[in-house]
Amino acid sequence: LFCDESGGGLVTQYDKNDVEDVGLVKFDFLGLRTLTIIDWAVKMINATRLSNAEEPLDLAQIPLEDEASFKMLQAAETTAVFQLESRGMKDLIKRLRPDCFEDIVALVALFRPGPLQSGMVDNFINRKHGREAISYPDAQYQHEWLRPILEPTYGIILYQEQVMQIAQVLAGYTLGGADLLRRAMGKKKLEEMAKQREFFQEGAAGQGTEPDLAMKIFDLVEKFAGYGFNKSHSAAYALVSYQTAWLKTHYPAQFMAAVMSSELQNTDKIVVFVEECRAMELPLKLPDVNVGDYMFTVNQDAEIIYGLGAIKGLGEGPIENILATRNQDGVFSDLFDFCARTDPRKVNRRAIEALVRAGAFDGLGEDRAVLMASLDEALQAAGQNASNRDAGIADMFGDLVAATGQEDVYGNFRSVKSWPVKQRLNGEKETLGLYVTGHPIDEYEAEIRRFAPCRIADLRADGKTAQMVAGLIVSMRTMKTRRGGTMAILQLDDRSARIEATIFPDVFEENRELLLKDHIVVLEATVVNDEYSGGLSLKTSSVRSLLQARQNSASELAIELREDMVNDAFAQQLQQLLQHANGTCPVSLWYSQAENRARIRLGENWTVVPSDELLQQLRDCCGPQNVTLNY
């Protein structure tokens, strides 16, 4: 033993076995983020309950047999539930269908490599659901004295404590002696086990237990002791699991806000939890400089307010200054007011641009394009005001305008064109890691339904008929097949629902460049029942980009022209756009003059590739309503 560097504690360099041999005790201390999440959630809940004159929630007093919580668990809707949220655990939950707290304790103990590989998990599940007879512990070798010990686990020796209890009941072990047996079995110490076998046999004879039966049970106990888990540990974890499940069931907004607050700097995790909020139909509001906090919060309407701390490119310092300013002098009235009152050394241009793109100023009622266009002037005005204050100069006219509120501070920027949907959503994606106010597929919805008429939510499985399915790739994982090829599993989203699509090696290799996250694809696939999720999945036979789908399906690009639109400059611009877009899609000009309307079908030299870029350029030239892809 020696003192650590601070002199405040003792340290040993010996391993745990040597430490225990000299009479010391080893403790493991685990720091659980989940305990912080629970604490944050309960504080939010009690703040709401206090405002409603309700008694504070005491989580230690919640019932352990809450029907709604177990219904949620049985559906494996356990994302963010402590210890129960992994893919493998969800599969185990669906098979086990827990209906009491003891089952959750068992889940924690069962979901480990030993039990999963030994077959005891299948025995446990089959016995619980009556598909296998319960015995204590084996049909051939059982003893009634073991029923009270093994009944909670359907006759399966699952916990280390059960090993100790069996030794006590059958062979008269003391608690200390039973613990030595547990250690010897768990560590498979051969020399020690030989001693224990002899001791067990003698003890069993002293208890009046039939010797052969006693040793057969000893062999069974030894077999399962290596897989045994400490029940007190499992029960403690299970209690935290149950508490998080109960909170998610009864106070979902506060719980999910606390969960997301614990992952502020991990955008990938935030995205997963936001999607869970959407699946739970929890309202999620954009970050807001006037009502948001550093962490995710919940308002009186049970809406989750996005945490300012989750905005990329902002940082803790700027947020502290924003909140301190707002708390001291009240909410911000506009961007100019915001720039004037916050500290430019902390809340700089980069931070403000991130706030605009994240939608944190939307609550002020102004268009994001207008805000971004006026930022230079707002910063300049704030800088001038700061210089005047430092010099002791009062701006009489500026103060007068501020007092009367008569001037439109954005007046010089009202003509700025609003951002296209794609630009707005991309700004949210860059700063928040996901799309909040819309979905990239929205602007293509009507068009996509021409070649993929069925939304994901409306798909039905028949396993035979191939159909076209369109969506945004939100995630993808690849894996090697037994033959050495690479296959992929996509998660496809069209805002109506999500579905997994299997891309087999030959299709994957042909379309690798199209299979990218955040890209819209059109799959030709059969819809099948998914045994794992209980829902549907796709078996994909071909992949196309949105552009490829257009080229395969579009009959023509139609452009409406009126007599008053056409002049030399317009004709030259239109000619340049169409001449440099050689492709396969025919172009028709519909020319209107007075009450007459004629169609001019352009020749093969004027066929185009109907890309987003070309369509946007044509709409800018001719007007959005005058350019249409026909199918």
Side-chain angles (χ1 to χ4, degrees), residues 194-258:
K195 295 178 185 177
Q196 290 292 341
R197 175 178 286 274
E198 185 178 340
F199 188 78
F200 191 94
Q201 192 168 20
E202 292 175 0
Q207 294 289 101
T209 308
E210 199 273 314
D212 286 345
L213 176 61
M215 297 322 294
K216 292 293 185 182
I217 291 175
F218 181 91
D219 291 337
L220 287 170
V221 171
E222 183 180 7
K223 174 185 175 183
F224 287 103
Y227 306 129
F229 195 66
N230 183 258
K231 186 178 183 180
S232 59
H233 180 105
S234 191
Y237 266 29
L239 181 60
V240 178
S241 300
Y242 180 81
Q243 287 174 340
T244 54
W246 189 91
L247 287 169
K248 185 179 181 183
T249 302
H250 294 281
Y251 293 94
Q254 289 88 344
F255 176 70
M256 292 306 298

Side-chain angles (χ1 to χ4, degrees), residues 273-317:
F273 294 138
V274 167
E275 292 305 328
E276 181 69 5
C277 289
R278 287 175 174 166
M280 296 165 67
E281 298 183 354
L282 292 176
L284 180 68
K285 309 291 284 184
L286 284 167
D288 192 317
V289 293
N290 274 340
V291 297
D293 210 327
Y294 184 78
M295 300 198 301
F296 286 77
T297 53
V298 177
N299 64 19
Q300 289 295 322
D301 298 322
E303 298 169 322
I304 299 175
I305 310 297
Y306 215 97
L308 295 174
I311 300 176
K312 294 181 183 177
L314 191 53
E316 197 167 338

Side-chain angles (χ1 to χ4, degrees), residues 447 450 550 553-560 585-586 588 590 597 599 601 627-631:
E447 179 184 2
R450 301 292 187 91
R550 277 179 186 156
S553 305
S555 59
E556 68 170 3
L557 173 63
I559 303 174
E560 294 279 350
C585 182
S588 292
W590 291 87
R597 185 169 179 262
R599 179 188 185 190
R601 180 85 167 187
V627 179
T628 309
L629 265 180
N630 292 328
Y631 289 87

Side-chain angles (χ1 to χ4, degrees), residues 329-603:
D329 301 318
V331 297
F332 304 103
S333 58
D334 52 54
L335 180 64
F336 286 77
D337 178 45
F338 179 89
C339 292
R341 288 166 52 193
T342 53
D343 186 343
R345 293 166 298 182
K346 296 178 180 177
V347 188
N348 56 24
R349 172 187 289 276
R350 181 168 173 265
I352 298 172
E353 287 179 346
L355 287 165
V356 172
R357 290 200 300 273
F361 287 106
D362 286 10
L364 300 178
E366 202 51 64
D367 188 89
R368 294 181 198 177
V370 171
L371 290 167
M372 198 66 87
S374 62
L375 181 55
D376 278 340
E377 189 169 303
L379 290 172
Q380 186 177 355
Q384 184 61 53
N385 287 341
S387 298
N388 289 345
R389 283 197 303 271
D390 292 342
I393 301 172
D395 185 347
M396 181 177 68
F397 295 104
D399 290 343
L400 182 63
V401 166
T404 59
Q406 291 177 348
E407 182 178 298
D408 179 2
V409 293
Y410 303 110
N412 296 332
F413 310 99
R414 291 292 178 198
S415 60
V416 172
K417 186 178 179 182
S418 293
W419 288 348
V421 172
K422 185 179 292 185
Q423 184 178 352
R424 187 189 79 235
L425 293 178
N426 284 342
E428 294 172 9
K429 177 77 173 179
E430 289 168 12
T431 54
L432 303 176
L434 70 160
Y435 310 108
V436 180
T437 60
H439 193 288
I441 210 168
D442 288 349
E443 64 178 305
Y444 305 109
E445 179 71 22
E447 179 184 2
I448 282 174
R449 293 300 152 238
R450 301 292 187 91
F451 41 78
C454 203
R455 301 182 312 157
I456 291 175
D458 301 324
L459 293 174
R460 296 292 180 267
D462 67 3
K464 299 176 182 178
T465 308
Q467 52 187 306
M468 307 303 287
V469 182
L472 182 81
I473 299 175
V474 294
S475 67
M476 181 176 77
R477 64 183 191 276
T478 58
M479 61 193 75
K480 291 292 183 183
T481 64
R482 292 179 180 177
R483 296 184 179 181
T486 302
M487 64 180 292
I489 306 293
L490 307 181
Q491 180 115 106
L492 211 62
D493 184 313
D494 71 349
R495 207 177 194 187
S496 75
R498 289 188 172 188
I499 195 169
E500 278 197 346
T502 303
I503 313 292
F504 296 105
D506 53 342
V507 179
F508 179 77
E509 289 302 326
E510 290 175 11
N511 300 281
R512 187 187 289 263
E513 73 283 354
L514 300 180
L515 299 173
L516 301 171
K517 189 177 177 182
D518 295 324
H519 279 216
I520 295 173
V521 290
V522 182
L523 308 182
E524 185 174 5
T526 52
V527 186
V528 298
N529 290 307
D530 189 292
E531 291 181 3
Y532 170 74
S533 68
L536 303 176
S537 62
L538 302 175
K539 293 190 180 300
T540 307
S541 55
S542 72
V543 181
R544 296 172 187 161
S545 67
L546 184 57
L547 178 58
Q548 289 170 338
R550 277 179 186 156
Q551 290 177 298
N552 286 345
S553 305
S555 59
E556 68 170 3
L557 173 63
I559 303 174
E560 294 279 350
L561 301 176
R562 298 188 312 276
E563 181 181 12
D564 61 301
M565 292 169 55
V566 179
N567 54 44
D568 289 344
F570 173 84
Q572 185 176 3
Q573 183 181 5
L574 184 60
Q575 181 178 352
Q576 286 178 342
L577 290 174
L578 296 176
Q579 269 187 334
H580 293 86
N582 295 333
T584 58
C585 182
V587 177
S588 292
L589 304 180
W590 291 87
Y591 182 68
S592 299
Q593 185 180 36
E595 296 182 359
N596 299 315
R597 185 169 179 262
R599 179 188 185 190
I600 305 169
R601 180 85 167 187
L602 302 186

